[in-house]
Amino acid sequence: MKKIVFATIPMQKIEAQHYVCGENKAIEYEGNTRFPINAVLAKTLKKGDEVKVVRIVTEGEFTDDNVKFQKEELDQINSKIGANIEYVEVRAPFKETSDVVEARFRQIVGTLEKDCTILADMTYGPKTLTPVLFFALNFAEKFFEADISHIVYGKIIFGKDKTANKNTAELYDVTPLYYLNSLTSVMSAPDGKTALERLDKFFAL
């Protein structure tokens, strides 16, 4: 089964950090990375895996440098693993207009392949990118029979000088948030009160 990785590329300068993952130690990489998704791949890739890395690029001053850094970092990690990685790119200007958002969605779903396993990083990019990625993952699951494996978000605290504070990097596995969205989409109830009661029962499981 092919793995498709959606890697968001930052527009600002970034430095490598050690991302701590308190809730899911299985994806906590012992090394430092600029890109949280690369830390996840360091822990989950296996020799011979067929992987398509889709870099989701928002044009900015440091974007092209970060595209290069993302590949260099992952290639270095993979040199000890031996997966087969190809890189493709989805690129859009830094605009939130409906035509740009719609075009980005269409580009992302255009990279899908049937029966793939998907990993996604929601750390970087404009605010509209997160819902666009969720819509794309839902599209992949519904029409391409994709398995949504990991959706992650990396948090770093920045100081007043806009540089990252050391030892503040945390990695969150937000895959349950995606499935919560799926749950509320298919859940039925005669009214809001009943819907809330059923949701409480679900969380109590």
Short mmCIF file of all heavy atoms in Angstrom, two decimals, residues 127-157:
data_model
loop_
_atom_site.label_atom_id
_atom_site.label_comp_id
_atom_site.label_asym_id
_atom_site.label_seq_id
_atom_site.Cartn_x
_atom_site.Cartn_y
_atom_site.Cartn_z
N LYS A 127 -4.15 29.86 7.53
CA LYS A 127 -5.20 29.28 8.38
C LYS A 127 -6.22 28.46 7.58
O LYS A 127 -6.78 27.50 8.10
CB LYS A 127 -5.90 30.38 9.17
CG LYS A 127 -4.99 31.07 10.20
CD LYS A 127 -5.78 31.95 11.12
CE LYS A 127 -4.89 32.77 12.03
NZ LYS A 127 -3.83 32.02 12.70
N THR A 128 -6.48 28.85 6.34
CA THR A 128 -7.46 28.11 5.54
C THR A 128 -6.96 26.73 5.15
O THR A 128 -7.76 25.88 4.74
CB THR A 128 -7.82 28.88 4.25
OG1 THR A 128 -6.63 29.15 3.52
CG2 THR A 128 -8.54 30.18 4.58
N LEU A 129 -5.66 26.48 5.28
CA LEU A 129 -5.11 25.20 4.83
C LEU A 129 -5.60 24.04 5.69
O LEU A 129 -5.80 22.93 5.17
CB LEU A 129 -3.57 25.26 4.82
CG LEU A 129 -2.85 24.01 4.33
CD1 LEU A 129 -3.37 23.58 2.96
CD2 LEU A 129 -1.35 24.26 4.28
N THR A 130 -5.80 24.27 6.99
CA THR A 130 -6.25 23.17 7.85
C THR A 130 -7.60 22.61 7.42
O THR A 130 -7.72 21.39 7.21
CB THR A 130 -6.28 23.62 9.32
OG1 THR A 130 -4.95 23.92 9.75
CG2 THR A 130 -6.85 22.52 10.22
N PRO A 131 -8.64 23.43 7.25
CA PRO A 131 -9.90 22.84 6.76
C PRO A 131 -9.78 22.25 5.37
O PRO A 131 -10.40 21.23 5.07
CB PRO A 131 -10.89 24.01 6.80
CG PRO A 131 -10.07 25.24 6.87
CD PRO A 131 -8.82 24.86 7.59
N VAL A 132 -8.97 22.86 4.52
CA VAL A 132 -8.78 22.31 3.16
C VAL A 132 -8.19 20.91 3.25
O VAL A 132 -8.63 19.98 2.55
CB VAL A 132 -7.88 23.23 2.31
CG1 VAL A 132 -7.42 22.52 1.05
CG2 VAL A 132 -8.64 24.50 1.94
N LEU A 133 -7.20 20.72 4.12
CA LEU A 133 -6.61 19.39 4.28
C LEU A 133 -7.63 18.40 4.83
O LEU A 133 -7.69 17.25 4.39
CB LEU A 133 -5.40 19.48 5.21
CG LEU A 133 -4.06 19.76 4.53
CD1 LEU A 133 -2.99 20.01 5.58
CD2 LEU A 133 -3.65 18.62 3.62
N PHE A 134 -8.45 18.83 5.80
CA PHE A 134 -9.48 17.94 6.33
C PHE A 134 -10.46 17.54 5.23
O PHE A 134 -10.85 16.37 5.13
CB PHE A 134 -10.23 18.62 7.49
CG PHE A 134 -9.66 18.29 8.83
CD1 PHE A 134 -8.35 18.59 9.13
CD2 PHE A 134 -10.43 17.67 9.80
CE1 PHE A 134 -7.80 18.29 10.38
CE2 PHE A 134 -9.90 17.36 11.04
CZ PHE A 134 -8.58 17.67 11.33
N PHE A 135 -10.87 18.49 4.40
CA PHE A 135 -11.78 18.17 3.30
C PHE A 135 -11.11 17.19 2.34
O PHE A 135 -11.76 16.25 1.84
CB PHE A 135 -12.17 19.44 2.55
CG PHE A 135 -12.89 20.46 3.38
CD1 PHE A 135 -12.78 21.82 3.08
CD2 PHE A 135 -13.66 20.09 4.47
CE1 PHE A 135 -13.42 22.77 3.86
CE2 PHE A 135 -14.31 21.04 5.25
CZ PHE A 135 -14.19 22.38 4.94
N ALA A 136 -9.82 17.39 2.07
CA ALA A 136 -9.10 16.51 1.15
C ALA A 136 -8.97 15.09 1.72
O ALA A 136 -9.10 14.10 1.00
CB ALA A 136 -7.72 17.08 0.85
N LEU A 137 -8.73 14.99 3.03
CA LEU A 137 -8.63 13.67 3.66
C LEU A 137 -9.97 12.96 3.63
O LEU A 137 -10.04 11.74 3.41
CB LEU A 137 -8.13 13.82 5.10
CG LEU A 137 -6.71 14.36 5.27
CD1 LEU A 137 -6.38 14.53 6.74
CD2 LEU A 137 -5.69 13.47 4.58
N ASN A 138 -11.04 13.69 3.86
CA ASN A 138 -12.37 13.10 3.78
C ASN A 138 -12.66 12.62 2.37
O ASN A 138 -13.21 11.53 2.16
CB ASN A 138 -13.41 14.13 4.23
CG ASN A 138 -14.82 13.57 4.21
OD1 ASN A 138 -15.58 13.79 3.28
ND2 ASN A 138 -15.17 12.84 5.26
N PHE A 139 -12.25 13.40 1.38
CA PHE A 139 -12.41 13.03 -0.03
C PHE A 139 -11.62 11.75 -0.32
O PHE A 139 -12.11 10.84 -1.00
CB PHE A 139 -11.90 14.18 -0.90
CG PHE A 139 -12.20 14.07 -2.36
CD1 PHE A 139 -13.37 14.59 -2.89
CD2 PHE A 139 -11.30 13.45 -3.21
CE1 PHE A 139 -13.64 14.50 -4.25
CE2 PHE A 139 -11.55 13.35 -4.57
CZ PHE A 139 -12.73 13.88 -5.10
N ALA A 140 -10.40 11.69 0.21
CA ALA A 140 -9.54 10.52 -0.01
C ALA A 140 -10.14 9.26 0.60
O ALA A 140 -10.13 8.18 -0.01
CB ALA A 140 -8.16 10.78 0.58
N GLU A 141 -10.68 9.40 1.80
CA GLU A 141 -11.26 8.25 2.48
C GLU A 141 -12.52 7.77 1.78
O GLU A 141 -12.74 6.55 1.63
CB GLU A 141 -11.58 8.64 3.93
CG GLU A 141 -11.88 7.47 4.83
CD GLU A 141 -12.09 7.88 6.27
OE1 GLU A 141 -12.47 9.04 6.53
OE2 GLU A 141 -11.87 7.04 7.15
N LYS A 142 -13.31 8.69 1.30
CA LYS A 142 -14.60 8.35 0.70
C LYS A 142 -14.47 7.81 -0.73
O LYS A 142 -15.14 6.84 -1.08
CB LYS A 142 -15.49 9.60 0.69
CG LYS A 142 -16.90 9.35 0.19
CD LYS A 142 -17.76 10.59 0.34
CE LYS A 142 -19.20 10.34 -0.11
NZ LYS A 142 -20.05 11.55 0.06
N PHE A 143 -13.59 8.41 -1.52
CA PHE A 143 -13.55 8.06 -2.94
C PHE A 143 -12.30 7.27 -3.36
O PHE A 143 -12.29 6.67 -4.44
CB PHE A 143 -13.65 9.33 -3.79
CG PHE A 143 -14.94 10.07 -3.60
CD1 PHE A 143 -14.97 11.29 -2.96
CD2 PHE A 143 -16.14 9.54 -4.05
CE1 PHE A 143 -16.16 11.98 -2.76
CE2 PHE A 143 -17.34 10.21 -3.88
CZ PHE A 143 -17.35 11.43 -3.23
N PHE A 144 -11.26 7.26 -2.53
CA PHE A 144 -10.04 6.53 -2.87
C PHE A 144 -9.75 5.41 -1.87
O PHE A 144 -8.69 4.80 -1.94
CB PHE A 144 -8.86 7.50 -2.95
CG PHE A 144 -8.85 8.36 -4.17
CD1 PHE A 144 -9.63 9.50 -4.25
CD2 PHE A 144 -8.06 8.03 -5.28
CE1 PHE A 144 -9.63 10.29 -5.38
CE2 PHE A 144 -8.06 8.82 -6.41
CZ PHE A 144 -8.84 9.96 -6.46
N GLU A 145 -10.68 5.17 -0.95
CA GLU A 145 -10.54 4.11 0.05
C GLU A 145 -9.21 4.23 0.79
O GLU A 145 -8.53 3.24 1.06
CB GLU A 145 -10.70 2.73 -0.60
CG GLU A 145 -12.06 2.55 -1.25
CD GLU A 145 -12.22 1.20 -1.93
OE1 GLU A 145 -11.53 0.25 -1.52
OE2 GLU A 145 -13.02 1.11 -2.86
N ALA A 146 -8.86 5.46 1.13
CA ALA A 146 -7.60 5.72 1.82
C ALA A 146 -7.72 5.42 3.30
O ALA A 146 -8.79 5.52 3.90
CB ALA A 146 -7.20 7.18 1.63
N ASP A 147 -6.59 5.06 3.90
CA ASP A 147 -6.49 4.86 5.35
C ASP A 147 -5.79 6.08 5.93
O ASP A 147 -4.64 6.37 5.59
CB ASP A 147 -5.69 3.59 5.64
CG ASP A 147 -5.40 3.42 7.12
OD1 ASP A 147 -6.29 3.76 7.94
OD2 ASP A 147 -4.29 2.97 7.47
N ILE A 148 -6.47 6.83 6.79
CA ILE A 148 -5.88 8.02 7.40
C ILE A 148 -5.10 7.56 8.63
O ILE A 148 -5.66 7.22 9.66
CB ILE A 148 -6.96 9.05 7.79
CG1 ILE A 148 -7.93 9.30 6.62
CG2 ILE A 148 -6.30 10.34 8.26
CD1 ILE A 148 -7.27 9.75 5.34
N SER A 149 -3.79 7.55 8.51
CA SER A 149 -2.92 6.96 9.53
C SER A 149 -2.56 7.95 10.63
O SER A 149 -2.82 7.70 11.81
CB SER A 149 -1.65 6.42 8.87
OG SER A 149 -0.75 5.94 9.84
N HIS A 150 -1.92 9.05 10.27
CA HIS A 150 -1.48 10.04 11.26
C HIS A 150 -1.72 11.45 10.72
O HIS A 150 -1.34 11.76 9.59
CB HIS A 150 0.01 9.90 11.58
CG HIS A 150 0.36 8.65 12.31
ND1 HIS A 150 -0.04 8.40 13.60
CD2 HIS A 150 1.09 7.57 11.93
CE1 HIS A 150 0.42 7.22 13.99
NE2 HIS A 150 1.10 6.70 13.00
N ILE A 151 -2.31 12.29 11.57
CA ILE A 151 -2.39 13.72 11.30
C ILE A 151 -1.73 14.40 12.49
O ILE A 151 -2.13 14.17 13.64
CB ILE A 151 -3.85 14.21 11.17
CG1 ILE A 151 -4.61 13.36 10.14
CG2 ILE A 151 -3.89 15.68 10.78
CD1 ILE A 151 -6.10 13.62 10.11
N VAL A 152 -0.71 15.20 12.22
CA VAL A 152 0.06 15.77 13.33
C VAL A 152 0.15 17.28 13.23
O VAL A 152 -0.03 17.87 12.15
CB VAL A 152 1.48 15.18 13.40
CG1 VAL A 152 1.42 13.68 13.68
CG2 VAL A 152 2.27 15.46 12.14
N TYR A 153 0.45 17.87 14.38
CA TYR A 153 0.64 19.31 14.49
C TYR A 153 1.79 19.57 15.45
O TYR A 153 1.83 18.99 16.55
CB TYR A 153 -0.64 19.98 15.01
CG TYR A 153 -0.45 21.41 15.45
CD1 TYR A 153 -0.30 22.42 14.50
CD2 TYR A 153 -0.42 21.75 16.79
CE1 TYR A 153 -0.11 23.74 14.91
CE2 TYR A 153 -0.24 23.06 17.20
CZ TYR A 153 -0.09 24.05 16.25
OH TYR A 153 0.11 25.34 16.64
N GLY A 154 2.75 20.39 15.03
CA GLY A 154 3.89 20.72 15.87
C GLY A 154 3.74 22.11 16.45
O GLY A 154 3.46 23.07 15.73
N LYS A 155 3.93 22.22 17.77
CA LYS A 155 3.82 23.51 18.46
C LYS A 155 5.18 23.94 18.98
O LYS A 155 5.91 23.13 19.56
CB LYS A 155 2.84 23.42 19.64
CG LYS A 155 2.59 24.75 20.34
CD LYS A 155 1.91 24.56 21.68
CE LYS A 155 2.92 24.29 22.77
NZ LYS A 155 2.34 24.28 24.14
N ILE A 156 5.51 25.21 18.76
CA ILE A 156 6.73 25.80 19.31
C ILE A 156 6.37 27.16 19.88
O ILE A 156 5.59 27.91 19.29
CB ILE A 156 7.82 25.96 18.24
CG1 ILE A 156 8.29 24.58 17.74
CG2 ILE A 156 9.02 26.74 18.77
CD1 ILE A 156 9.34 24.66 16.63
N ILE A 157 6.93 27.50 21.04
CA ILE A 157 6.72 28.81 21.63
C ILE A 157 7.82 29.75 21.16
O ILE A 157 9.01 29.43 21.25
CB ILE A 157 6.71 28.73 23.17
CG1 ILE A 157 5.52 27.86 23.62
CG2 ILE A 157 6.62 30.13 23.79
CD1 ILE A 157 5.49 27.61 25.12
#
